[in-house]
Amino acid sequence: MARPWQALTKRRGGSRLTRMDGFQKLLTLLLIVLSVFMLLPIVYIFNHAFKPYHELFVYPPTFLVNEPSLQNVNELLAVTARSTVPMIRYMFNSVFTSVLAVVFVTGVSALCAYPLSKHRFPGSGFVFAAILLTLMFAPEVVQIPRYLVVSGLGIMNTYFAHLLPLMAMPIGVFLLKQFVDQIPDSLLEAARIDGANEFIVFLRIVIPVCMPAVATVAILAFQNSWGNIETSALFMLDDEMKSFAFFLSTLTNNLANNVAMQGAAAVASLIMFVPNLIVFVILQSKVITTMAHSGIK
Protein backbone atom coordinates (compact mmCIF):
# COMPACT_ATOMS: atom_id res chain seq x y z
CA MET A 1 0.00 0.00 0.00
CA ALA A 2 1.38 3.38 -1.02
CA ARG A 3 2.08 5.89 1.68
CA PRO A 4 0.04 9.11 1.69
CA TRP A 5 2.96 11.28 0.62
CA GLN A 6 3.85 8.87 -2.21
CA ALA A 7 0.27 8.88 -3.44
CA LEU A 8 0.23 12.66 -3.28
CA THR A 9 3.48 12.86 -5.25
CA LYS A 10 2.14 10.55 -7.96
CA ARG A 11 -1.12 12.46 -8.12
CA ARG A 12 0.71 15.78 -8.44
CA GLY A 13 3.04 14.44 -11.09
CA GLY A 14 0.18 13.03 -13.12
CA SER A 15 -1.83 16.22 -12.84
CA ARG A 16 1.16 18.26 -13.98
CA LEU A 17 1.42 16.17 -17.13
CA THR A 18 -2.28 16.32 -17.83
CA ARG A 19 -2.32 20.09 -17.39
CA MET A 20 0.15 20.52 -20.25
CA ASP A 21 -1.60 21.72 -23.38
CA GLY A 22 -0.64 20.82 -26.91
CA PHE A 23 1.74 23.74 -27.33
CA GLN A 24 3.63 22.91 -24.12
CA LYS A 25 3.99 19.28 -25.15
CA LEU A 26 5.27 20.33 -28.57
CA LEU A 27 7.71 22.76 -26.97
CA THR A 28 8.96 20.06 -24.60
CA LEU A 29 9.52 17.72 -27.53
CA LEU A 30 11.40 20.41 -29.46
CA LEU A 31 13.62 21.11 -26.45
CA ILE A 32 14.42 17.41 -26.13
CA VAL A 33 15.34 17.21 -29.81
CA LEU A 34 17.45 20.37 -29.48
CA SER A 35 19.28 19.00 -26.45
CA VAL A 36 20.10 15.78 -28.32
CA PHE A 37 21.30 17.84 -31.29
CA MET A 38 23.58 19.89 -29.03
CA LEU A 39 25.11 16.70 -27.62
CA LEU A 40 26.23 15.57 -31.08
CA PRO A 41 29.54 17.53 -31.09
CA ILE A 42 30.47 15.95 -27.75
CA VAL A 43 29.71 12.48 -29.11
CA TYR A 44 31.68 13.26 -32.26
CA ILE A 45 34.83 14.45 -30.51
CA PHE A 46 34.94 11.31 -28.35
CA ASN A 47 34.47 9.05 -31.38
CA HIS A 48 36.89 11.01 -33.54
CA ALA A 49 39.73 10.54 -31.05
CA PHE A 50 39.57 6.75 -31.34
CA LYS A 51 39.19 6.44 -35.11
CA PRO A 52 42.01 4.65 -36.95
CA TYR A 53 43.56 6.48 -39.87
CA HIS A 54 41.47 4.75 -42.50
CA GLU A 55 38.35 6.14 -40.77
CA LEU A 56 39.76 9.60 -40.12
CA PHE A 57 40.02 10.30 -43.85
CA VAL A 58 37.17 8.20 -45.22
CA TYR A 59 34.75 9.94 -47.60
CA PRO A 60 31.97 10.56 -46.90
CA PRO A 61 33.05 11.04 -43.27
CA THR A 62 31.49 8.88 -40.59
CA PHE A 63 30.05 10.25 -37.37
CA LEU A 64 30.60 7.21 -35.15
CA VAL A 65 33.74 5.11 -35.00
CA ASN A 66 33.38 1.60 -36.45
CA GLU A 67 36.67 0.07 -35.28
CA PRO A 68 37.82 1.82 -32.05
CA SER A 69 41.58 1.88 -31.71
CA LEU A 70 44.22 3.25 -29.34
CA GLN A 71 46.52 3.96 -32.28
CA ASN A 72 46.05 7.71 -31.94
CA VAL A 73 46.82 7.60 -28.21
CA ASN A 74 50.02 5.68 -28.87
CA GLU A 75 50.97 8.18 -31.57
CA LEU A 76 50.50 11.09 -29.17
CA LEU A 77 52.56 9.34 -26.50
CA ALA A 78 55.31 8.68 -29.05
CA VAL A 79 55.37 12.33 -30.06
CA THR A 80 55.57 13.54 -26.47
CA ALA A 81 58.33 11.00 -25.74
CA ARG A 82 60.46 12.58 -28.46
CA SER A 83 59.92 16.05 -27.03
CA THR A 84 62.82 17.73 -25.26
CA VAL A 85 60.45 18.76 -22.45
CA PRO A 86 58.36 16.03 -20.74
CA MET A 87 54.63 16.22 -21.36
CA ILE A 88 54.02 16.24 -17.60
CA ARG A 89 55.81 19.60 -17.44
CA TYR A 90 53.44 21.15 -19.96
CA MET A 91 50.50 19.64 -18.11
CA PHE A 92 51.73 21.02 -14.79
CA ASN A 93 52.07 24.50 -16.27
CA SER A 94 48.52 24.42 -17.60
CA VAL A 95 46.95 23.03 -14.42
CA PHE A 96 48.91 25.37 -12.15
CA THR A 97 48.17 28.51 -14.14
CA SER A 98 44.52 27.55 -14.68
CA VAL A 99 43.91 27.06 -10.96
CA LEU A 100 45.60 30.34 -10.13
CA ALA A 101 43.68 32.09 -12.91
CA VAL A 102 40.36 30.88 -11.47
CA VAL A 103 41.29 32.18 -8.01
CA PHE A 104 42.65 35.55 -9.11
CA VAL A 105 40.11 36.28 -11.85
CA THR A 106 37.13 35.59 -9.59
CA GLY A 107 38.72 37.57 -6.77
CA VAL A 108 39.57 40.59 -8.93
CA SER A 109 36.16 40.55 -10.61
CA ALA A 110 34.33 40.40 -7.26
CA LEU A 111 36.48 43.11 -5.71
CA CYS A 112 35.77 45.31 -8.73
CA ALA A 113 32.03 44.60 -8.89
CA TYR A 114 31.31 45.24 -5.19
CA PRO A 115 32.43 48.90 -5.00
CA LEU A 116 30.93 49.66 -8.41
CA SER A 117 27.57 48.41 -7.15
CA LYS A 118 27.43 49.42 -3.47
CA HIS A 119 30.00 52.21 -3.05
CA ARG A 120 29.07 55.03 -5.36
CA PHE A 121 32.00 57.31 -6.05
CA PRO A 122 32.60 60.06 -8.60
CA GLY A 123 33.11 58.48 -11.98
CA SER A 124 31.82 55.02 -11.03
CA GLY A 125 29.38 55.03 -13.94
CA PHE A 126 32.16 56.00 -16.33
CA VAL A 127 34.42 53.24 -14.99
CA PHE A 128 31.71 50.62 -15.45
CA ALA A 129 30.94 51.89 -18.95
CA ALA A 130 34.65 51.71 -19.81
CA ILE A 131 34.78 48.11 -18.56
CA LEU A 132 31.80 47.18 -20.74
CA LEU A 133 33.38 48.99 -23.68
CA THR A 134 36.36 46.65 -23.56
CA LEU A 135 34.02 43.81 -24.55
CA MET A 136 33.93 45.30 -28.04
CA PHE A 137 37.66 44.82 -28.65
CA ALA A 138 38.98 41.65 -30.25
CA PRO A 139 41.87 39.96 -28.39
CA GLU A 140 44.23 40.69 -31.29
CA VAL A 141 43.79 44.43 -30.75
CA VAL A 142 45.39 44.36 -27.30
CA GLN A 143 48.23 41.93 -28.01
CA ILE A 144 50.83 44.65 -28.51
CA PRO A 145 49.80 46.65 -25.39
CA ARG A 146 49.83 43.44 -23.35
CA TYR A 147 53.29 42.59 -24.60
CA LEU A 148 54.58 46.05 -23.75
CA VAL A 149 53.10 45.86 -20.24
CA VAL A 150 54.47 42.38 -19.52
CA SER A 151 57.87 43.28 -20.94
CA GLY A 152 57.97 46.57 -19.04
CA LEU A 153 57.18 44.83 -15.76
CA GLY A 154 60.05 42.40 -16.30
CA ILE A 155 57.95 39.26 -15.84
CA MET A 156 58.68 37.64 -19.19
CA ASN A 157 59.19 33.87 -18.99
CA THR A 158 57.51 33.62 -15.57
CA TYR A 159 54.17 32.31 -14.33
CA PHE A 160 53.10 35.90 -13.68
CA ALA A 161 53.12 36.43 -17.45
CA HIS A 162 50.62 33.57 -17.78
CA LEU A 163 48.31 35.14 -15.19
CA LEU A 164 48.47 38.92 -15.59
CA PRO A 165 46.98 39.18 -19.11
CA LEU A 166 44.01 37.02 -18.04
CA MET A 167 43.17 38.64 -14.71
CA ALA A 168 41.00 41.40 -16.17
CA MET A 169 37.72 39.80 -17.30
CA PRO A 170 35.05 42.41 -18.15
CA ILE A 171 32.26 39.85 -18.50
CA GLY A 172 33.06 38.59 -15.01
CA VAL A 173 32.75 42.09 -13.56
CA PHE A 174 29.43 42.56 -15.35
CA LEU A 175 27.90 39.29 -14.13
CA LEU A 176 29.01 39.84 -10.55
CA LYS A 177 27.82 43.43 -10.50
CA GLN A 178 24.36 42.34 -11.64
CA PHE A 179 24.19 39.96 -8.69
CA VAL A 180 25.55 42.47 -6.17
CA ASP A 181 22.93 44.98 -7.34
CA GLN A 182 20.22 42.60 -6.11
CA ILE A 183 21.54 42.55 -2.52
CA PRO A 184 19.43 44.93 -0.39
CA ASP A 185 21.38 47.86 1.01
CA SER A 186 19.51 47.39 4.32
CA LEU A 187 21.13 43.96 4.71
CA LEU A 188 24.61 45.42 4.35
CA GLU A 189 23.80 48.30 6.68
CA ALA A 190 22.50 45.88 9.32
CA ALA A 191 25.79 43.99 9.17
CA ARG A 192 27.76 47.23 9.55
CA ILE A 193 25.63 48.26 12.55
CA ASP A 194 26.43 44.90 14.15
CA GLY A 195 30.12 45.76 13.88
CA ALA A 196 31.13 44.04 10.66
CA ASN A 197 33.78 45.84 8.63
CA GLU A 198 33.77 46.00 4.83
CA PHE A 199 35.91 42.91 4.48
CA ILE A 200 33.50 40.83 6.60
CA VAL A 201 30.50 42.23 4.72
CA PHE A 202 32.12 41.35 1.42
CA LEU A 203 33.32 37.90 2.45
CA ARG A 204 30.35 36.65 4.48
CA ILE A 205 27.39 38.35 2.81
CA VAL A 206 28.23 39.45 -0.72
CA ILE A 207 30.21 36.40 -1.83
CA PRO A 208 27.73 33.74 -0.54
CA VAL A 209 24.83 35.54 -2.23
CA CYS A 210 26.79 35.81 -5.47
CA MET A 211 28.04 32.21 -5.53
CA PRO A 212 26.15 31.36 -8.77
CA ALA A 213 27.89 34.24 -10.55
CA VAL A 214 31.22 33.37 -8.91
CA ALA A 215 30.91 29.80 -10.22
CA THR A 216 30.12 31.08 -13.71
CA VAL A 217 33.12 33.41 -13.68
CA ALA A 218 35.28 30.53 -12.45
CA ILE A 219 34.17 28.40 -15.43
CA LEU A 220 34.93 31.19 -17.88
CA ALA A 221 38.30 31.85 -16.26
CA PHE A 222 39.25 28.17 -16.39
CA GLN A 223 38.26 27.84 -20.04
CA ASN A 224 40.12 31.00 -20.94
CA SER A 225 43.30 29.87 -19.19
CA TRP A 226 43.21 26.16 -20.04
CA GLY A 227 42.97 26.71 -23.78
CA ASN A 228 45.17 29.81 -23.91
CA ILE A 229 48.22 29.73 -26.19
CA GLU A 230 48.81 33.47 -26.49
CA THR A 231 50.80 33.82 -23.27
CA SER A 232 53.04 30.88 -24.20
CA ALA A 233 53.66 32.17 -27.70
CA LEU A 234 54.32 35.80 -26.76
CA PHE A 235 55.73 35.83 -23.24
CA MET A 236 57.49 32.47 -22.72
CA LEU A 237 61.04 32.08 -24.00
CA ASP A 238 61.80 28.62 -22.62
CA ASP A 239 59.83 25.55 -23.66
CA GLU A 240 59.49 24.31 -20.07
CA MET A 241 57.42 27.41 -19.23
CA LYS A 242 54.88 26.90 -22.00
CA SER A 243 51.41 25.43 -21.58
CA PHE A 244 50.00 22.09 -22.62
CA ALA A 245 47.60 23.79 -25.03
CA PHE A 246 50.51 25.46 -26.84
CA PHE A 247 52.38 22.16 -27.08
CA LEU A 248 49.34 20.42 -28.57
CA SER A 249 48.82 23.26 -31.03
CA THR A 250 52.28 22.62 -32.47
CA LEU A 251 51.63 18.97 -33.32
CA THR A 252 50.41 19.61 -36.86
CA ASN A 253 52.29 22.84 -37.54
CA ASN A 254 54.95 23.02 -40.25
CA LEU A 255 54.19 19.55 -41.58
CA ALA A 256 54.67 18.64 -45.23
CA ASN A 257 51.15 17.21 -45.57
CA ASN A 258 47.74 17.30 -43.94
CA VAL A 259 47.65 13.61 -43.02
CA ALA A 260 50.54 13.16 -40.62
CA MET A 261 49.83 13.56 -36.91
CA GLN A 262 46.09 13.98 -37.39
CA GLY A 263 45.39 11.05 -35.08
CA ALA A 264 47.51 12.57 -32.32
CA ALA A 265 45.78 15.90 -32.90
CA ALA A 266 42.37 14.23 -32.49
CA VAL A 267 43.38 12.77 -29.11
CA ALA A 268 44.90 16.11 -28.12
CA SER A 269 41.60 17.85 -28.88
CA LEU A 270 39.82 15.36 -26.63
CA ILE A 271 42.32 15.94 -23.83
CA MET A 272 41.78 19.70 -24.07
CA PHE A 273 38.00 19.27 -24.11
CA VAL A 274 37.47 16.85 -21.20
CA PRO A 275 38.58 19.20 -18.35
CA ASN A 276 36.27 21.93 -19.65
CA LEU A 277 33.41 19.44 -19.79
CA ILE A 278 34.05 18.19 -16.24
CA VAL A 279 34.21 21.71 -14.78
CA PHE A 280 31.04 22.74 -16.59
CA VAL A 281 29.09 19.63 -15.55
CA ILE A 282 30.03 20.18 -11.91
CA LEU A 283 29.01 23.86 -11.91
CA GLN A 284 26.31 23.90 -14.59
CA SER A 285 23.46 24.48 -12.12
CA LYS A 286 25.17 27.66 -10.95
CA VAL A 287 25.50 28.84 -14.55
CA ILE A 288 21.78 28.42 -15.15
CA THR A 289 21.02 30.43 -12.00
CA THR A 290 23.38 33.18 -13.15
CA MET A 291 21.80 33.43 -16.59
CA ALA A 292 18.35 33.61 -14.98
CA HIS A 293 19.25 36.49 -12.66
CA SER A 294 21.96 38.45 -14.48
CA GLY A 295 19.42 40.83 -16.04
CA ILE A 296 17.07 41.16 -13.07
CA LYS A 297 17.39 43.83 -10.41
Side-chain angles (χ1 to χ4, degrees):
M1 181 177 180
R3 296 180 180 179
W5 65 271
Q6 292 176 336
L8 180 61
T9 303
K10 292 180 180 179
R11 186 162 57 251
R12 287 180 176 176
S15 62
R16 186 181 296 111
L17 292 175
T18 56
R19 285 199 303 266
M20 293 179 62
D21 56 20
F23 175 76
Q24 291 175 328
K25 293 179 180 178
L26 178 61
L27 183 60
T28 302
L29 178 62
L30 290 177
L31 290 176
I32 293 174
V33 173
L34 181 62
S35 63
V36 173
F37 178 76
M38 296 181 68
L39 286 174
L40 293 181
I42 300 177
V43 176
Y44 176 80
I45 195 172
F46 274 92
N47 281 268
H48 192 67
F50 297 100
K51 288 180 179 179
Y53 265 84
H54 66 272
E55 290 189 37
L56 283 174
F57 298 97
V58 67
Y59 186 84
T62 58
F63 189 82
L64 299 177
V65 57
N66 296 319
E67 301 176 7
S69 172
L70 296 178
Q71 174 186 353
N72 299 334
V73 179
N74 295 331
E75 183 180 14
L76 178 61
L77 293 177
V79 172
T80 56
R82 295 195 300 266
S83 176
T84 56
V85 178
M87 183 179 68
I88 191 66
R89 174 67 183 188
Y90 294 114
M91 185 67 72
F92 170 79
N93 292 339
S94 291
V95 173
F96 181 69
T97 56
S98 296
V99 171
L100 290 182
V102 169
V103 174
F104 282 102
V105 169
T106 53
V108 170
S109 299
L111 289 172
C112 181
Y114 175 56
L116 286 175
S117 176
K118 297 301 181 181
H119 293 271
R120 299 295 180 180
F121 54 89
S124 60
F126 174 79
V127 172
F128 185 62
I131 292 175
L132 295 182
L133 184 63
T134 59
L135 294 172
M136 300 176 58
F137 295 100
E140 293 77 12
V141 177
V142 295
Q143 281 185 352
I144 294 178
R146 282 179 176 176
Y147 181 85
L148 295 176
V149 171
V150 172
S151 178
L153 292 175
I155 59 174
M156 297 283 288
N157 208 39
T158 66
Y159 287 115
F160 292 106
H162 278 296
L163 294 174
L164 185 62
L166 306 179
M167 287 178 61
M169 183 180 289
I171 187 63
V173 176
F174 171 75
L175 290 176
L176 284 167
K177 183 181 180 300
Q178 296 300 101
F179 261 74
V180 177
D181 286 343
Q182 300 173 51
I183 301 176
D185 294 336
S186 58
L187 178 62
L188 304 182
E189 289 298 330
R192 296 188 183 101
I193 292 174
D194 288 340
N197 56 32
E198 287 299 323
F199 178 76
I200 297 299
V201 171
F202 173 76
L203 193 62
R204 296 191 177 181
I205 298 179
V206 175
I207 293 298
V209 173
C210 299
M211 278 307 297
V214 171
T216 303
V217 174
I219 293 175
L220 296 176
F222 179 83
Q223 292 178 342
N224 193 25
S225 177
W226 178 253
N228 183 272
I229 63 175
E230 176 186 332
T231 55
S232 297
L234 298 180
F235 311 135
M236 300 299 130
L237 306 178
D238 299 331
D239 286 340
E240 60 266 19
M241 291 299 299
K242 296 182 178 181
S243 66
F244 188 64
F246 178 83
F247 169 71
L248 296 182
S249 70
T250 62
L251 290 179
T252 57
N253 289 347
N254 302 320
L255 294 179
N257 58 70
N258 294 326
V259 177
M261 305 297 296
Q262 291 301 321
V267 177
S269 300
L270 178 62
I271 294 175
M272 292 301 301
F273 172 74
V274 168
N276 288 322
L277 178 63
I278 294 174
V279 172
F280 180 79
V281 168
I282 294 174
L283 300 176
Q284 57 89 21
S285 61
K286 301 293 185 181
V287 177
I288 295 174
T289 305
T290 303
M291 296 301 107
H293 290 84
S294 60
I296 304 175
K297 284 191 176 181

